[in-house]
mmCIF file of all heavy atoms in Angstrom:
data_model
loop_
_atom_site.group_PDB
_atom_site.id
_atom_site.type_symbol
_atom_site.label_atom_id
_atom_site.label_comp_id
_atom_site.label_asym_id
_atom_site.label_seq_id
_atom_site.Cartn_x
_atom_site.Cartn_y
_atom_site.Cartn_z
ATOM 1 N N ASP X 648 -12.209 31.569 -11.240
ATOM 2 C CA ASP X 648 -13.361 32.471 -11.355
ATOM 3 C C ASP X 648 -12.926 33.929 -11.242
ATOM 4 O O ASP X 648 -13.363 34.780 -12.022
ATOM 5 C CB ASP X 648 -14.420 32.155 -10.295
ATOM 6 C CG ASP X 648 -15.113 30.826 -10.527
ATOM 7 O OD1 ASP X 648 -15.000 30.269 -11.646
ATOM 8 O OD2 ASP X 648 -15.765 30.335 -9.577
ATOM 9 N N THR X 679 -6.686 48.871 -14.617
ATOM 10 C CA THR X 679 -5.935 48.893 -13.363
ATOM 11 C C THR X 679 -6.861 48.629 -12.180
ATOM 12 O O THR X 679 -6.525 47.863 -11.275
ATOM 13 C CB THR X 679 -5.207 50.241 -13.193
ATOM 14 O OG1 THR X 679 -4.277 50.396 -14.272
ATOM 15 C CG2 THR X 679 -4.457 50.317 -11.880
ATOM 16 N N GLN X 697 -7.676 47.686 2.851
ATOM 17 C CA GLN X 697 -6.783 48.822 2.615
ATOM 18 C C GLN X 697 -6.371 48.922 1.146
ATOM 19 O O GLN X 697 -6.058 49.998 0.650
ATOM 20 C CB GLN X 697 -5.570 48.772 3.537
ATOM 21 C CG GLN X 697 -4.597 47.638 3.260
ATOM 22 C CD GLN X 697 -3.362 47.705 4.119
ATOM 23 O OE1 GLN X 697 -2.923 48.775 4.528
ATOM 24 N NE2 GLN X 697 -2.772 46.551 4.391
#
Side-chain angles (χ1 to χ4, degrees):
D648 291 345
T679 298
Q697 68 175 331

